[in-house]
Each structure stands twice: as structure tokens, then as C-alpha cells.
Amino acid sequence: MSAREPEPCDGLTGEHDGPVRFYLTGWKCTAHAPRPRAREPQPAAKTT
């Protein structure tokens, strides 16, 4: 598994939304990412 090759979101419930990113808890879409639950803004995407 590589953070450069996104896999499907491993969130099991609800609708998926936004890009899939790798977090410490696994691959998550915007709807299942830890930040939306904490109501913090998403980090800016890297453009390198």
C-alpha cells in the first residue's frame, strides 16, 4: 500500500464524498476523514 496510489475509502457507513487520502486510520474520503468529525478545515493539497 502506498499513499501515492489512492485506494477506495474504507469508511463502512454513509455516502462517500471528496478525494480519498491516507490517514493513520486508513484510506478515507472527505466524509469519513477524521477532520470533518472534529470540524477542522481540510489541509491544502500538495502540488509537488
Side-chain angles (χ1 to χ4, degrees):
M1 175 173 17
S2 171
R4 293 182 185 267
E5 299 175 16
E7 294 187 7
C9 175
D10 60 6
L12 301 175
T13 60
E15 296 291 321
H16 298 281
D17 184 36
V20 177
R21 297 181 181 181
F22 187 74
Y23 293 90
L24 293 175
T25 58
W27 291 97
K28 305 289 183 191
C29 68
T30 304
H32 293 111
R35 290 187 189 327
R37 292 182 191 164
R39 299 195 175 150
E40 296 175 10
Q42 286 288 321
K46 292 183 180 179
T47 57
T48 55

